[in-house]
Amino acid sequence: MSTQLSPVPNVAPDGELSTELLKRMHELMVKSRVLEERLIQMYKQGDGYFWIGGPGEEAFNVPLGLLIQKGQGVQFDYCHFHYRNSGTLLAMGADPIDALRQMKNTASDPYSGGRNFCGHYSLRKWNVVPVSSPIEVQYSMAPGTALAQKRAGGTGITIVTGGDAGTAEGDFATCLVWCSRPANPLPLLMIVTNNKWGISTSADGQHGEKNVSDRGKAFGIRCKTIDGNDPEVSYREIAAAMEYVRTERKPFLLEAVLSRLYGHSSASGANRALDEADCLVGFEKKLEQRKLLDRKAADELRAHYTQELQEAHRRVHVEPQPDGKTIYDHIFSTKDLVRGEG
Amino acid sequence: MSTQLSPVPNVAPDGELSTELLKRMHELMVKSRVLEERLIQMYKQGDGYFWIGGPGEEAFNVPLGLLIQKGQGVQFDYCHFHYRNSGTLLAMGADPIDALRQMKNTASDPYSGGRNFCGHYSLRKWNVVPVSSPIEVQYSMAPGTALAQKRAGGTGITIVTGGDAGTAEGDFATCLVWCSRPANPLPLLMIVTNNKWGISTSADGQHGEKNVSDRGKAFGIRCKTIDGNDPEVSYREIAAAMEYVRTERKPFLLEAVLSRLYGHSSASGANRALDEADCLVGFEKKLEQRKLLDRKAADELRAHYTQELQEAHRRVHVEPQPDGKTIYDHIFSTKDLVRGEG
Amino acid sequence: MANMVQAIRMALHVAEERHQVTDIFGEDVGPPLGGAFTATQGLKKTWNSPLDERGIVGASIGLALAGCRNVAEIQFCDYAFNTIDLLKLGGMMHWSSNGDWNCPMTIMTPVGSGIRGSIYHSHSFDTTATHIPGYKIAIPSTPRDAYGLLLSCIVDPNPCFFLVPKALMRVRCAPGEEIPGEPGDDRALSKMIDAPLGDRSKWQPQWPDTPDLFVPIGEAKTVRQGAGLTVVSYGRTLPLCAKAAEALAGEGVDAEVIDLRTLWPYDWEAVKASVRKTGRLLVVNEDTEVTNFGEHLIRRTVSELFYELQAAPRLLAGAHVPGVGLADNLEMASVPQLQGISQAMRELAAEQP
Amino acid sequence: MANMVQAIRMALHVAEERHQVTDIFGEDVGPPLGGAFTATQGLKKTWNSPLDERGIVGASIGLALAGCRNVAEIQFCDYAFNTIDLLKLGGMMHWSSNGDWNCPMTIMTPVGSGIRGSIYHSHSFDTTATHIPGYKIAIPSTPRDAYGLLLSCIVDPNPCFFLVPKALMRVRCAPGEEIPGEPGDDRALSKMIDAPLGDRSKWQPQWPDTPDLFVPIGEAKTVRQGAGLTVVSYGRTLPLCAKAAEALAGEGVDAEVIDLRTLWPYDWEAVKASVRKTGRLLVVNEDTEVTNFGEHLIRRTVSELFYELQAAPRLLAGAHVPGVGLADNLEMASVPQLQGISQAMRELAAEQP
Ligand SMILES: Cc1ncc(C[n+]2csc(CCOP(=O)(O)OP(=O)(O)O)c2C)c(N)n1
Ligand SMILES: Cc1ncc(C[n+]2csc(CCOP(=O)(O)OP(=O)(O)O)c2C)c(N)n1
Ligand SMILES: [Mg+2]
Ligand SMILES: [Mg+2]
């Protein structure tokens, strides 16, 4: 069941990231942007009923995925994600075609067998717990996996992600309360991706907090608000936060301010927002200035993945849908899978 | 429908309280202590199935009651209480015999007609919304009455009370979020009576916060933690907090640290806790030192109310119980009472 | 002719203009969106709440207790399941205070399947709502009923659930079923009250002059007379039952179809009279079938009309599975569809001891 | 002889010693109290949670996903109504992941009336629980069944509800119904496993050596054979049904009484066989009667056994009111009592077309 422990990069907040890492991040950001564009296209072509995802969040989600200790069981990181973490999954090594399968709700969709919306990942082999549509519930569940990890010892931690508007739900407070109990502080990295919107509702009128992350202070939880549109900042800050949580076995609340590039979801049209900063454009500009990337290479990279996903789409297009009779499958489990049975 | 506006006392935090006020507070504290003792006795004599109340909280609950703008409708204060506010009701002018009626669940119980537990007050004529057993739900409802008052203008405010352990429920966070929205801050006085216990569970292991009131800071809510065992401090601080909420039309979070003198409820025996400070003893000592009270007068006062409540008990003892057929009464209302019909 | 969303919008307009509604709120209910389904566009009393259903239900109760008639929206009923305790409290304000308080709020929420909403946008709420005492519960199947039932809920001094079948949001009035005062022409109405795409900051709706039309709570509507069997339904499945009945008439299956319209109180007299006539009852809804409100109707039927029944009463409802799956085949197999309804009607009509 | 609370405590001891239970938690579950009803005294894996039911259910799911068998207590089921969405999610972890994950948790909670718990300590949970797919649901009426059903829930790889009838907490095993290994003498057992009053910091329980006794989920128990009518019940009302049946035997009313014991899956074969024999069915529970699990049993009975019924099947359940009132008369009038049960049995036995 176990997978190799990926080394925990120990980067000081001001430390330089290697050229190789920067390039790896850039490639993954391109890859996940292209994936989202393909998913949106599928929706607009009627190859799927609903799209939701994370275009604009790549600068944060990709580093997050690279830093996760991927594997199964308490010695690895548990991931309680929401519906915008496709970049994280790709960085963890997921094959983008599987995202297309969930988009097209084919029987071959490895995350839900065509039962759930796109972006609703679930992979036991990597501790990715089923993403569910109800906002914020993952924050109430996360303390449970973190409790198991605290008891087990080691460096495995629990990571939970969600948006800014969702922090108004009681579950966010539940997570703050449960992970900071003096009786048993938990190795839990609480992440809030703040895109300043909840569907059509602007954050301005709704949040008395200056920073969402300020809410951790009263509980003695370490917290920080960072520029989630900068992949280098994101990588360093996530690494530092994880380092703290892994070694101190205490919680950390990290807020990343970032962009929402295609609106909330297909329900709001999934059209490109022109007033939002594009982290990919910004990062490429930097890399070009530093001579780590030239336009041509960047265009080729994009073309390469566009092509790859086009072919993937063609394949998925003809894959069979689940049969109606299967709705009764897997209501009850005969095996205790999470306890190592089969 | 409307009642006289009681004047809003404008006391500076360090202002002196008049002798008359101190004596009035003392008398009401004695009265409500004797009421609770009577209720406990009724329980122990089998004259009621369950006791819960506020003995030990008189130093805070009595001033609170004296400072409430009592009446019906948005120009008066709305009270979203929990089950320990008997001292507040007495200070507002409630007749203690009615508490005995609810304890004995007689048909004459004006708060619930014998349907609800003792201490579960409800009085529309004074804006006391029905107290319910589920912990913390009042914090989710309070913003609603405060919204109506904000719109109406004037000096009416909403007051919500609850315990320390209950702040772990999401509803407490809901109240913080809703009353501090930049779009519409609310005239809401959030009160937490911190007795350091949730039934048998000590606060130590459960609260990462140094003070519960710190949780208001992130939202820009004014907050303060005070000694709820001192009636003079309580009166001044409640008055100051109310003054702010009434005039600024903004929220305030007030935490009062105080004692639980007879344990959680009859479920835990309702026996006198010897390790808790008694606010009444402390206050009487002070008054005696200042020559505002002598032992004899204090004893007579106590004897007077003991006698009064003994007689009340005798009367209630023989009052009829509600008839079984009445369970179907008042499921639906034919009149819009809260909108002035009948 | 108005569709259901437009009908709801017009009712809310009338309510805020003439019936003292002070607040119409919930997630994305106010500008710029005006509701996930556009039901609250162009109104005056709308505002956007925090993303917090407990806060929404709590605020609705608080506003009601302060004498403010309000309509609180839960964006999808699927997201009301963390508020059942608060809903129960709202339903007992009058009862627990022994008649001292009342709670004039309306909880409006889209229900059911039909838009490929997958696991968490396809829930039904009829079973849950009918198990909470103290509420009046409406679930329209036509725009006109939506208009008239919503107004009845709003002026009622008691808490009400107004359940809106997602699948019927865009369905238009049948001829003769218009809302009095609305322009007959769809485009004309749309121009008047549908917000434009793009910038809406300057847009003002022009409301047609529609009357106070109150569809009484507790009154069912018989949408088709018949002597062969009684079909009781509501919401998304009602039009399917009516359609099936028309189609089967040719085969000599003569179904009486009743649109219950309100689930509490419900029109028992109408159901009873029909079952007395036909001796056969089929209840159709799309909530999961175990512990389902349709089973209450069947229980009451057998306890009062057992000896007048000519065949076993039936329930056709949603499959008892954790959710409605996204894929076409999965949704189709999970909740009643036209074919299954016709099949059940055929079988019941033909059933012989 | 053990009472139900002691039986639960012994089962939890066996579970933490031999069945890898890692966490038994909830409000006041750990020392010093050991549970509002003392069900968790003296155990090793207990701890006190924050006062937050959503956190309790969420942590239970999270622990289960991390492979930790756990028992999470909601102090009263009345306080689970703000967690229905989380409970639904727990029930669909396996299904929504298409079989990839499972969720081995047990939610334990006291249910029902009988202790003058007033409006918010008297709720039932059978209707709500049976409407949430993905759970196995147990509700014992004897200490031995409590012991055996709790162990079955704990070792099950699926989420389970273990509902404990408050009114039966202190009821002792009937002779012959003991838990193997427990001392026959009540005082002896109490000395071994009941925490002393006052300071408990040094107290250590002495656990009797009780075996792995698994009462299978899905198997009802016929507590009285009879040919005249079938009475299906569970929880608090079951012993009342059995008592009434004994008393009525003299009058020639020969009732078969079935203790359903588990509500999902439930033992349909046992119910069917009995109704086939008697032709008459009475279902008794104390949840409010509108959209009630008993109505599901009646619906299934009429859909499968209609032509074998000799009388209209009946439900005797709680009154459809917002809560159980505190006063004696109010509680008595709100939920089934011995007399009403006897009356219903008499009437059903005598009913002629
Ligand atoms: C409990 C719940 N309420 C409402 C919704 C509908 N909804 C889906 S996404 C969303 C906005 C979420 O905003 P935020 O938390 O900021 O995350 P973002 O989508 O902006 O990343 C809402 C209201 C939901 N899915 N769940
Ligand atoms: C939602 C809910 N959960 C659990 C309970 C059971 N209960 C009643 S009082 C109480 C402790 C409350 O502690 P705190 O909030 O500190 O108030 P206190 O009683 O100490 O004044 C608990 C757990 C309840 N009434 N409601
Ligand atoms: Mg957002
Ligand atoms: Mg306390």
Side-chain angles (χ1 to χ4, degrees), chain C residues 14-183:
Chain C
V14 168
E16 66 180 14
E17 290 296 332
R18 299 204 291 268
H19 301 294
Q20 303 89 46
V21 162
T22 58
D23 298 85
I24 300 165
F25 68 105
E27 295 153 12
D28 307 292
V29 162
L33 189 58
F37 294 90
T38 75
T40 52
Q41 289 179 345
L43 298 163
K44 290 183 184 152
K45 306 293 187 180
T46 58
W47 52 277
N48 292 327
S49 76
L51 204 179
D52 174 18
E53 289 71 22
R54 292 187 65 74
I56 292 168
V57 173
S60 181
I61 294 171
L63 282 162
L65 294 177
C68 298
R69 273 184 182 160
N70 69 91
V71 178
E73 178 176 85
I74 300 296
Q75 199 163 60
F76 292 85
C77 77
D78 312 60
Y79 303 127
F81 289 99
N82 61 338
T83 69
I84 305 301
D85 60 324
L86 288 167
L87 292 171
K88 286 163 82 66
L89 286 169
M92 67 167 75
M93 282 292 163
H94 189 58
W95 186 89
S96 65
S97 64
N98 205 28
D100 190 32
W101 288 89
N102 69 298
C103 191
M105 66 173 179
T106 298
I107 304 287
M108 173 166 84
T109 189
V111 300
S113 65
I115 62 166
R116 299 298 176 272
S118 184
I119 301 174
Y120 252 90
H121 302 79
S122 305
H123 272 93
S124 293
F125 208 63
D126 34 332
T127 284
T128 303
T130 52
H131 195 64
I132 305 177
Y135 282 80
K136 300 191 178 176
I137 308 165
I139 178 165
S141 72
T142 72
R144 187 193 169 103
D145 283 347
Y147 182 88
L149 285 169
L150 180 50
L151 284 173
S152 294
C153 288
I154 287 169
V155 300
D156 198 284
N158 299 288
C160 298
F161 286 118
F162 183 73
L163 309 179
V164 190
K166 276 182 226 97
L168 304 180
M169 292 263 192
R170 308 289 166 201
V171 172
R172 302 197 168 281
C173 302
E177 279 281 308
E178 297 84 359
I179 294 156
E182 64 157 313

Side-chain angles (χ1 to χ4, degrees), chain C residues 44-333:
Chain C
K44 290 183 184 152
K45 306 293 187 180
T46 58
W47 52 277
N48 292 327
S49 76
L51 204 179
D52 174 18
E53 289 71 22
R54 292 187 65 74
I56 292 168
V57 173
S60 181
I61 294 171
L63 282 162
L65 294 177
C68 298
R69 273 184 182 160
N70 69 91
V71 178
E73 178 176 85
I74 300 296
Q75 199 163 60
F76 292 85
C77 77
D78 312 60
Y79 303 127
F81 289 99
N82 61 338
T83 69
I84 305 301
D85 60 324
L86 288 167
L87 292 171
K88 286 163 82 66
L89 286 169
M92 67 167 75
M93 282 292 163
H94 189 58
W95 186 89
S96 65
S97 64
N98 205 28
D100 190 32
W101 288 89
N102 69 298
C103 191
M105 66 173 179
T106 298
I107 304 287
M108 173 166 84
T109 189
V111 300
S113 65
I115 62 166
R116 299 298 176 272
S118 184
I119 301 174
Y120 252 90
H121 302 79
S122 305
H123 272 93
S124 293
F125 208 63
D126 34 332
T127 284
T128 303
T130 52
H131 195 64
I132 305 177
Y135 282 80
K136 300 191 178 176
I137 308 165
I139 178 165
S141 72
T142 72
R144 187 193 169 103
D145 283 347
Y147 182 88
L149 285 169
L150 180 50
L151 284 173
S152 294
C153 288
I154 287 169
V155 300
D156 198 284
N158 299 288
C160 298
F161 286 118
F162 183 73
L163 309 179
V164 190
K166 276 182 226 97
L168 304 180
M169 292 263 192
R170 308 289 166 201
V171 172
R172 302 197 168 281
C173 302
E177 279 281 308
E178 297 84 359
I179 294 156
E182 64 157 313
D185 174 54
D186 299 353
R187 268 210 229 68
L189 180 62
S190 177
K191 261 186 122 46
M192 292 171 76
I193 67 169
D194 291 345
L197 296 177
D199 177 26
R200 302 163 168 187
S201 47
K202 273 154 222 63
W203 172 68
Q204 288 289 349
Q206 289 174 286
W207 298 101
D209 181 7
T210 56
D212 291 351
L213 177 116
F214 297 103
V215 172
I217 293 171
E219 217 176 82
K221 185 169 67 182
T222 301
V223 299
R224 185 181 190 281
Q225 306 275 351
L229 72 155
T230 300
V231 180
V232 174
S233 188
Y234 48 84
R236 180 186 69 86
T237 51
L238 189 278
L240 299 177
C241 293
K243 194 166 173 198
E246 288 312 326
L248 291 173
E251 299 178 23
V253 174
D254 182 22
E256 180 147 295
V257 180
I258 295 175
D259 184 349
L260 208 52
R261 298 200 294 189
T262 66
L263 308 186
W264 198 270
Y266 62 85
D267 193 344
W268 175 241
E269 291 314 310
V271 174
K272 186 162 67 179
S274 180
V275 173
R276 280 229 161 97
K277 178 173 63 175
T278 65
R280 296 165 192 267
L281 172 66
L282 170 67
V283 179
V284 183
N285 68 42
E286 62 175 313
D287 205 339
T288 49
E289 66 173 331
V290 177
T291 312
N292 175 298
F293 174 60
E295 294 178 316
H296 166 72
L297 294 174
I298 287 172
R299 190 264 296 190
R300 186 158 183 192
T301 300
V302 295
S303 63
E304 295 190 28
L305 304 171
F306 187 72
Y307 300 101
E308 301 173 60
L309 291 170
Q310 290 162 37
R314 297 181 181 218
L315 173 72
L316 182 64
H320 188 61
V321 296
V324 172
L326 177 59
D328 230 59
N329 299 333
L330 301 181
E331 176 164 330
M332 290 298 182

Side-chain angles (χ1 to χ4, degrees), chain A residues 115 124 151 174 333 336 338, chain D residues 23 52 95 100 102 158:
Chain A
R115 291 174 172 185
R124 183 163 54 93
R151 181 161 46 213
T174 285
S333 179
D336 209 339
V338 295
Chain D
D23 298 86
D52 174 17
W95 185 89
D100 190 33
N102 69 299
N158 299 287

